[in-house]
């Protein structure tokens, strides 16, 4: 009996536990599944409220409703259904209702990161298949009306994975749901760049220098980011005559630089005879400079490469700016016409023909009256001279940006540069009037097509037309003698570049370039009668290839390639040149890397220099073509080894190089001695060291740079055969610093260099040979003397402020040559009308102030 009772009690306990388990399970199921199908819920409403609903089953299929959160009254329930599912209801009478699914709905939501803690303002919300899109507000919220129910939604933001969903899926998330975005995680390679001097100047891993004009800070003597003035702050790049149109890269002449604007070769780069850059810095987005290790895609320049690119993206909103200084005024703008179409435009015009400012007077003296003349007894020659000038310049540039689709982008660019001068010089002492007219004009247009064919293969097609024209007319001796000169360059080019990503570490770059350059030189002289017209055309076919490699940890980076130049002068010669290029970067230790660079390069265009005697103190240059007789193809070889160290914003760079250039002529080197017009063919070689140390803090930067160059000519037909180059500046030293305090930027710098070589006449009576008519100067050994050392101090300040919520402004003040030191830039000799040797010294800018004011919006 006891056993029976125990069994009964056990059964009762087990049954009771089973009953509790069932209740808990039922309750848990109700908790876990509070939602029921909307069709089933509608049927319960019909029974509960004794009504009938008319609807199409397909409109309600797949929709569920939270049964626990339903309102109590029928009207409230139907309003809830309408708001939740965009299904309209209509009461026909007390018993019958209709339910109709809307074809369009209103949507709203909030975009957050995947932790639902940070809103994402500025995220793009697109309705696919339509042209409708918007961005989220400052709180990450958005709302959009009348959206087709069969449409899809795309939500995207930089740094997050793009979300795509149908409208039905979106509605299923609830009323104004929170959309969580997942961050886009990507393993990045080590970034190997060195930021130095001022903001916006970066040394890249391939040894090139990048200037980002939008982030540019301040440099001594600059209140605006003049591109060709800025590059001269870099070690190894200087202008011995203080101009932007005569930039010397590692001892080379300016015509040996390849200057590109949006992929178009430029044959004119300066205003005011080289004192001002001709390229608007506010529309220029990025500048890249190569001194060695140039990629195989670049040819036609044996010295440096300066590549300028305007912004290649359509602006998100209209923006622009305008400003003026004591020389000129300019403006620029970027206008998005649609998501696929945008335009850029910039223009500048000088005020020199109606504003006589202190800056203009100093520039004018530098260009026209920079000569101090002494006779053979070292006495100053001071003729009473009246001068009158009519001078102005302008430039404008524009770009049309059209995105065919996400993978193909079309760009059209144009630039026009103009210089115009009329200059009269009346020598009251000699009762003689000389008149000079000079016009320089550069017009270039081009088109580019950038295509991304798949994840690994892309191409870039560039076509352009460029025309440069120089017209000069000189009237001497009260119109007794007249000289007319014209120089015209016309260049057409087609360049195709392709990139193929072989693996994550290997990239293969290939391309082909066709360049046709025609140059015409005309000279007409009435006394004595002389008429010359020389025209030539050179065509270049240049395929190239290059392999790029970087190790997984970027301990080793390499770019190795070659360019194959087939050069054809239609009148004289054909030549095939193979030009290897090497660029290696190796990590030796933490914070320390070594780079090894090498290149072979060539060029077929050079500039002949018509010197001061012909044009009232203004140096005039004319482009000519290689012809394999009087001027061969110019070729260069260069190698360098460098070291870069950076830690805690302390940078040290050291580089040694050797460069050899063959195929130069005395007529292209600016000789002003017995070999000025001889046209001898030779070479030069440069051995040099460049050093830079830079320390940057939160609001300051200070640097010291030093360059040593030994630059020597070799001419087999000149005695002696070896002598210093006209650009042989042995020592160059720069010390400068910048400081930022709130909205004020300050900068000061000191520049020192040893004097350039020049050639003196023989001593005493041996200096003048009167057996010729006119008499000739007997010179000593070429470049056996040197000018005094050069020293200049510059300073600048810029203050930024806000005029309105959308308009920013800045005002700037700069002073060039703060100490007003008179530096001799060049010295040459000439014979005057009294058969005496005169010494002519070209002097530098004096103390030159400048003011600027700009607005940006």
């Amino acid at each position: 009996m006891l056993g029976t009772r125990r069994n009964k009690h056990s059964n009762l306990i087990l049954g009771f536990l089973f009953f509790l388990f069932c209740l808990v399970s039922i309750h848990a199921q109700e908790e876990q599944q509070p939602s029921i199908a909307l069709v089933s819920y509608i049927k319960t409403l019909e029974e509960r409220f004794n009504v009938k609903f008319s609807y199409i089953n397909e409109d309600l299929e797949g929709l569920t409703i939270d049964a626990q959160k339903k309102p109590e009254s029928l009207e409230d329930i139907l309003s809830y259904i309408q708001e939740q599912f965009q299904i309209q209801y209509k009461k026909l009478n007390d018993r019958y209702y209709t339910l109709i699914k809307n074809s369009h709905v209103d949507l709203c939501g909030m975009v957050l990161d995947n932790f639902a803690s940070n809103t994402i303002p500025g995220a793009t919300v697109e309705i696919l298949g339509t042209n409708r899109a918007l961005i989220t507000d400052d709180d990450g919220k958005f709302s959009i009306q009348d959206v087709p129910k069969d449409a899809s939604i795309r939500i995207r933001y930089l740094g997050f994975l793009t979300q795509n969903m149908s409208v039905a899926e979106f509605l299923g998330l609830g009323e104004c749901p929170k959309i969580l975005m997942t961050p886009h995680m990507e393993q990045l390679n080590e970034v190997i760049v060195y930021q130095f001097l001022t903001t916006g100047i970066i040394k890249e891993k391939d040894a090139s220098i990048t200037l980002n004009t939008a982030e540019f800070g301040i440099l001594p003597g600059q209140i605006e980011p003049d591109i060709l003035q800025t590059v001269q702050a870099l070690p190894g790049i200087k202008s011995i005559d203080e101009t932007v149109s005569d930039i010397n890269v590692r001892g080379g002449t300016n015509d040996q630089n390849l200057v590109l604007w949006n992929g178009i070769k430029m044959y004119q780069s300066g205003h005011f005879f080289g004192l001002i850059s001709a390229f608007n810095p506010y529309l220029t987005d990025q500048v890249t400079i190569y001194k060695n290790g140039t990629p195989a895609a670049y040819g036609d320049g044996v010295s440096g490469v300066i590549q300028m690119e305007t912004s290649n993206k359509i602006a998100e909103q209209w923006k622009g700016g305008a400003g003026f200084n004591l020389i000129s005024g300019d403006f620029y703008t970027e206008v998005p016409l649609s998501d696929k179409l945008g335009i850029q435009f910039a223009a500048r015009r000088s005020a020199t023909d109606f504003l006589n400012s202190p800056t203009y007077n100093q520039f004018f003296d530098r260009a026209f009256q920079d000569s101090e003349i002494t006779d053979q007894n070292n006495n100053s020659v001071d003729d009473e001279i009246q001068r009158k000038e009519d001078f102005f310049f302008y430039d404008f540039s524009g770009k049309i940006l059209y995105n065919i689709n996400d993978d193909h982008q079309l760009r059209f660019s144009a630039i026009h540069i103009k210089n115009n001068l009329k200059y009269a010089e009346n020598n009251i002492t000699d009762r003689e009037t000389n008149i000079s007219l000079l016009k320089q004009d550069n017009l270039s247009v081009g088109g580019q097509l950038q295509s991304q064919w798949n994840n690994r293969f892309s191409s870039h097609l560039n076509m352009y037309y460029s025309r440069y024209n120089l017209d000069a007319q000189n009237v001497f001796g009260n119109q007794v003698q007249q000289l007319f000169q014209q120089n015209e360059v016309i260049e057409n080019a087609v360049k195709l570049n392709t990139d193929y990503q072989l693996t994550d570490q290997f990239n293969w770059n290939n391309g082909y370039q066709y360049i046709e350059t025609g140059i015409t030189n005309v000279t007409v002289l009435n006394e004595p009668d002389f008429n010359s017209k020389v025209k030539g055309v050179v065509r270049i076919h240049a395929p190239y290839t290059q392999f790029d490699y970087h190790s997984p940890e970027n301990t080793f980076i390499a770019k190795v390639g070659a360019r194959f130049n087939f050069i054809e002068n239609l009148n004289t010669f054909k030549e095939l040149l193979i030009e290897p290029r090497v660029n290696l970067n190796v990590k030796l230790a933490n914070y320390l890397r070594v780079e090894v660079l090498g290149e072979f390069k060539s060029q077929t265009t050079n500039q002949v220099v018509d010197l001061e005697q012909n044009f009232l103190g203004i140096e005039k240059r004319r482009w000519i073509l290689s012809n394999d007789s009087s001027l061969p193809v110019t070729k260069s070889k260069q190698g360098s080894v460098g070291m870069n160290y950076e830690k805690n914003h302390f940078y040290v760079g050291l580089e040694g190089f050797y460069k050899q250039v063959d195929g130069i002529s005395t007529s292209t080197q600016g000789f002003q001695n017995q070999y000025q017009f001889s046209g001898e063919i030779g070479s030069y070689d440069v051995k040099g060291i460049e050093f830079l140390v830079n320390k940057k803090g939160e609001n300051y930067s200070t640097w010291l740079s030093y360059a040593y160059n030994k630059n020597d000519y070799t001419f087999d037909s000149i005695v002696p055969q070896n002598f210093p180059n006209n650009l042989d500046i042995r020592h160059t030293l720069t010390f400068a610093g910048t400081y930022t305090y709130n909205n004020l930027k300050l900068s000061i710098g000191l520049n020192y260099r040893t004097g350039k070589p020049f050639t003196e006449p023989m001593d005493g009576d041996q200096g003048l040979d009167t057996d010729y008519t006119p008499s000739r100067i007997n010179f000593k050994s070429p470049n056996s003397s040197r000018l005094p050392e050069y020293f200049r101090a510059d300073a600048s300040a810029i203050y930024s402020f806000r005029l309105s919520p959308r308009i920013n402004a800045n005002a700037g003040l700069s002073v060039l040559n703060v100490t007003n030191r008179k530096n001799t830039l060049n010295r040459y000799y000439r014979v005057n009308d009294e058969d005496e040797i005169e010494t002519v010294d070209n002097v530098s800018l004096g103390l030159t102030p400048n003011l600027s004011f700009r607005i940006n919006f």
Side-chain angles (χ1 to χ4, degrees):
M1 292 293 294
L2 181 60
T4 303
R5 289 194 191 100
R6 286 179 179 175
N7 289 335
K8 286 182 179 181
H9 285 297
S10 298
N11 291 335
L12 287 173
I13 292 172
L14 290 174
F16 179 72
L17 293 175
F18 178 75
F19 176 73
L20 289 177
F21 174 77
C22 292
L23 289 177
V24 171
S25 299
I26 293 172
H27 180 70
Q29 290 177 3
E30 289 180 353
E31 288 292 329
Q32 292 174 0
Q33 298 179 350
S35 300
I36 62 174
L38 183 59
V39 174
S40 300
Y41 184 68
I42 292 296
K43 293 185 181 298
T44 63
L45 293 179
E46 289 179 330
E47 296 178 0
R48 178 180 173 186
F49 295 99
N50 192 26
V51 294
K52 289 291 184 180
F53 292 98
S54 175
Y55 54 87
I56 300 175
N57 288 335
E58 288 79 3
D59 288 349
L60 275 61
E61 285 182 354
L63 300 179
T64 60
I65 188 171
D66 189 345
Q68 293 185 340
K69 295 182 180 180
K70 61 184 182 300
E72 293 299 327
S73 68
L74 179 61
E75 295 297 326
D76 291 341
I77 292 173
L78 294 178
S79 297
Y80 175 78
I81 292 174
Q82 178 175 282
E83 182 179 348
Q84 182 76 14
F85 303 105
Q86 301 293 319
I87 295 177
Q88 290 188 343
Y89 74 93
K90 184 176 182 181
K91 184 176 181 180
L92 302 179
N93 52 44
D94 291 340
R95 180 170 171 77
Y96 290 96
Y97 291 80
T98 60
L99 299 176
I100 302 173
K101 180 180 180 181
N102 289 343
S103 61
H104 290 71
V105 294
D106 298 337
L107 303 179
C108 63
M110 177 184 292
V111 181
L112 303 97
D113 61 20
N114 64 332
F115 298 106
S117 58
N118 298 309
T119 60
I120 303 180
T124 302
V125 181
E126 301 175 77
I127 307 302
L128 301 182
T130 72
N131 60 356
R132 302 179 64 189
L134 52 82
I135 61 174
T136 56
D137 63 17
D138 292 341
D139 297 323
K141 296 179 181 180
F142 70 91
S143 63
I144 186 167
Q145 289 73 43
D146 203 28
V147 178
K149 273 196 156 184
D150 57 353
S152 294
I153 304 170
R154 174 184 292 166
I155 304 175
R156 54 192 174 91
Y157 188 74
L158 184 64
F160 291 84
L161 295 177
T162 299
Q163 287 223 34
N164 293 283
M165 66 183 76
S166 66
V167 170
E169 290 175 316
F170 187 90
L171 292 174
L173 298 176
E175 181 182 358
C176 288
K178 294 180 178 179
I179 309 299
L180 304 183
M181 302 290 284
T182 303
H184 177 54
M185 301 297 182
E186 183 176 355
Q187 185 175 0
L188 300 176
N189 293 321
E190 178 187 1
V191 178
I192 307 168
V193 297
Y194 306 104
Q195 302 188 41
F196 51 67
L197 304 190
T198 188
T199 56
I201 301 181
I202 299 173
K203 182 171 183 178
E204 306 284 355
K205 61 186 178 183
D206 63 352
S208 65
I209 307 294
T210 299
L211 309 181
N212 188 325
T213 56
E215 300 177 3
F216 189 76
I218 187 172
L219 286 175
Q222 294 189 39
I223 46 178
E224 296 182 300
D226 187 299
I227 295 167
L228 299 183
Q229 289 283 5
T230 300
V231 301
Q232 297 179 46
L234 306 172
I237 304 179
K238 292 295 176 185
S239 174
I240 293 178
D241 62 2
E242 297 185 331
T243 67
V244 298
S245 59
D246 193 11
I247 294 176
N248 314 121
V249 179
R250 289 183 171 173
T253 55
N254 183 76
D255 60 324
Q256 293 173 353
N257 298 323
L258 175 63
V259 180
L260 299 171
W261 180 84
N262 282 347
I264 305 172
K265 182 176 179 180
M266 305 305 299
Y267 286 91
Q268 181 181 349
S269 58
H271 289 311
F272 218 138
F273 307 101
L275 295 174
I276 302 170
S277 171
F279 306 102
N280 191 301
Y282 299 101
L283 203 58
T284 303
D285 181 56
Q286 183 171 287
V287 183
T288 304
I289 301 104
Y290 292 95
K291 293 186 288 185
N292 190 15
T294 311
Y298 297 99
D300 201 24
V302 298
S303 203
V305 175
I306 302 175
Q307 177 181 253
M308 294 165 282
E309 292 285 344
T310 59
S311 175
N312 209 36
K313 296 181 179 179
I314 298 173
E316 295 183 357
Q317 60 182 0
W318 177 46
K319 61 181 180 179
F324 65 88
N325 55 43
L326 297 184
I327 293 293
S328 63
D330 74 279
F331 80 94
Y332 75 98
T333 185
E334 297 183 54
V335 183
L337 301 178
S338 70
D339 291 340
K340 292 189 174 183
L341 181 64
I343 60 172
Q344 302 171 359
F345 184 77
R348 171 171 46 180
R349 210 263 190 204
S350 68
T352 54
D353 49 345
F354 59 84
L355 178 63
N356 192 11
S357 68
T359 309
Y360 171 71
N361 290 334
Q362 288 293 342
F363 278 24
F364 181 82
D365 288 347
R366 169 65 183 85
F368 297 92
Q369 300 165 235
D370 61 347
S371 302
E372 293 185 349
I373 303 173
T374 55
D375 60 21
Q376 58 187 1
N377 297 317
N378 203 31
N379 296 319
S380 177
V381 177
D382 294 319
D383 291 339
E384 186 178 354
I385 295 176
Q386 292 180 342
R387 296 176 172 88
K388 182 180 179 181
E389 78 284 350
D390 182 12
F391 170 71
F392 72 91
F393 64 81
Y394 66 79
D395 61 74
F396 66 81
S397 57
K399 189 173 184 178
I400 299 174
L401 306 91
Y402 176 65
N403 294 339
I404 301 173
N405 52 42
D406 291 342
D407 298 323
H408 302 278
Q409 300 174 343
L410 193 60
R411 306 290 185 258
F412 296 99
S413 303
I415 186 170
H416 186 202
I417 303 169
K418 181 80 171 182
N419 285 330
N420 200 326
L421 166 71
K422 180 179 180 180
Y423 179 64
E425 186 175 85
N426 182 21
N427 190 324
I428 298 176
T429 304
D430 297 336
R431 296 183 179 180
E432 182 177 88
T433 299
N434 297 329
I435 300 174
S436 296
L437 305 173
L438 180 65
K439 294 182 179 179
Q440 285 179 294
D441 201 335
N442 192 107
L443 175 64
S444 301
V445 294
Q448 298 178 325
L449 176 62
Q450 178 72 47
S451 298
Q452 186 71 44
W453 300 101
N454 54 45
N455 292 335
R456 292 187 177 271
F457 183 71
S458 64
S459 66
H460 184 271
L461 177 65
N462 178 29
M463 298 182 291
Y464 68 82
Y465 165 86
S466 187
R467 179 181 63 82
Y468 167 78
N469 192 73
L470 169 71
D471 289 320
Q473 183 178 357
N474 296 357
V475 182
F476 301 101
N478 297 321
Q479 301 187 12
V480 173
Q481 185 184 59
Q482 296 187 27
L483 172 65
F484 172 78
Q485 293 176 289
Q486 182 188 29
N487 180 216
E488 183 181 59
V489 182
I490 295 178
E491 182 165 292
N492 303 290
V494 178
K495 301 179 180 181
L496 176 64
N497 183 78
T498 64
D499 271 300
Y500 184 68
Q501 191 75 33
L502 296 172
T503 67
D504 291 341
Q505 280 75 47
F506 273 102
N507 186 74
W508 190 19
N509 175 244
N510 291 280
Y512 168 80
Q513 298 177 358
Y514 170 76
I515 306 170
E516 181 182 80
T517 307
I519 297 181
T520 303
N521 276 290
V522 177
T523 303
V524 178
L525 182 66
N526 71 326
E527 186 67 34
D529 188 30
F530 178 78
N531 194 322
S532 172
K533 182 176 181 179
V534 179
K535 183 176 182 179
V537 177
V538 166
R539 293 172 179 167
I540 298 176
H541 300 267
Y544 59 87
T545 186
Q546 179 173 295
F547 286 94
D548 300 346
Y549 169 79
H550 65 87
S551 62
E553 300 298 327
N554 277 331
T555 54
F556 177 65
I557 302 172
K559 294 185 176 183
V560 179
R563 183 181 178 90
F564 306 89
N565 279 343
F566 178 73
I567 303 171
E568 179 184 18
N569 187 310
L570 299 186
N571 300 324
T572 56
F573 72 97
K574 296 181 181 179
E575 188 171 1
L576 174 63
L577 299 176
I578 301 176
E579 301 174 358
R581 312 284 173 88
V582 176
N583 193 316
L584 308 177
N585 190 301
V586 183
K587 182 178 180 180
L588 293 184
N590 289 335
Y591 317 112
L592 180 65
R593 302 188 73 92
V594 170
E595 55 193 23
V596 178
L597 311 174
E599 63 182 23
F600 283 36
K601 296 169 74 176
S602 64
Q603 67 180 65
T604 58
T605 56
N606 293 271
Q607 281 184 316
V608 173
V609 183
D610 288 336
L611 292 170
E612 282 83 348
Q613 295 95 317
N614 295 332
F615 199 60
L616 298 181
I618 303 171
E619 187 176 286
K620 185 169 79 276
R621 300 167 182 264
R622 293 183 295 164
W623 289 98
I624 60 173
L625 285 171
S626 298
N627 52 30
D628 206 36
S629 55
S630 61
L631 183 63
V633 176
T634 307
K635 307 169 188 175
S636 72
K637 304 173 184 177
Q638 185 178 185
S640 63
V641 178
M643 178 274 293
N644 299 289
Y645 172 87
E646 183 181 34
K647 183 180 181 182
N648 298 328
H649 302 292
F650 178 73
Y651 171 84
V652 177
L654 178 65
E655 186 172 8
F657 69 92
Y658 173 77
K659 180 167 73 172
Q660 183 184 46
V661 178
D662 295 311
I664 63 170
S665 168
T666 54
S667 62
T668 65
Q669 295 294 301
F671 278 91
Q672 293 175 283
N673 52 28
Q674 63 269 45
Y675 302 108
Q676 180 173 338
F677 305 108
S678 63
E680 306 292 343
I681 303 300
S683 64
Y684 71 85
D685 60 84
V686 191
K687 307 176 186 70
I689 296 174
E690 296 167 2
F691 171 76
L692 173 66
V693 56
N694 179 211
K695 174 59 179 175
K696 296 180 67 177
E698 184 177 351
N699 55 0
Y700 74 92
S701 176
T702 182
W703 65 91
L704 174 71
S705 69
Y706 169 76
Y708 168 81
N709 281 4
K710 189 177 186 302
N711 192 348
D712 293 317
Y713 285 126
T714 298
F715 288 95
D716 294 337
S717 55
I718 293 178
V719 178
Q721 293 181 342
N722 302 101
F723 54 92
N725 193 301
N726 295 333
L727 302 176
D728 179 43
I729 303 298
R730 293 293 171 91
H731 306 280
T732 303
L733 187 69
T734 298
F735 178 71
T738 66
Y739 180 76
T740 301
Y741 178 74
N742 294 332
N743 295 328
L744 179 64
K745 298 177 182 178
L746 302 171
S747 183
I748 189 169
L750 306 176
N751 298 279
Y752 166 86
R753 63 172 180 258
T754 51
K756 64 169 287 189
F758 72 101
T759 308
E760 289 185 298
M762 300 286 288
D763 297 329
D765 294 337
Q766 297 181 359
L768 190 65
D769 189 345
T770 57
D771 293 337
Y772 293 88
T773 303
S775 299
R776 296 182 180 179
I777 299 175
N778 292 323
F779 287 95
K780 296 180 180 179
S781 295
N783 289 347
S784 55
S785 301
R786 282 190 180 267
L787 294 174
E789 59 192 10
Y790 175 97
F791 175 83
R792 195 175 90 176
D794 303 325
S796 55
I798 299 175
Y799 180 72
S800 302
F801 54 97
R802 187 180 293 274
L803 291 177
S804 74
R806 281 215 60 190
I807 300 178
N808 297 317
N810 66 66
L813 168 66
S814 69
V815 181
L816 299 175
N817 197 3
V818 174
T819 62
N820 199 28
R821 177 186 170 92
K822 189 176 293 184
N823 293 297
T824 302
L825 301 176
N826 190 31
R827 179 174 294 166
Y828 67 95
Y829 301 87
R830 67 189 184 192
V831 179
N832 62 18
D833 295 337
E834 286 75 32
D835 255 6
E836 295 178 337
I837 298 176
E838 291 182 341
T839 303
V840 183
D841 281 347
N842 300 135
V843 296
S844 63
L845 279 170
L847 188 149
T848 306
N850 199 0
L851 298 172
S852 73
F853 176 78
R854 298 201 62 83
I855 61 171
N856 297 283
F857 54 87

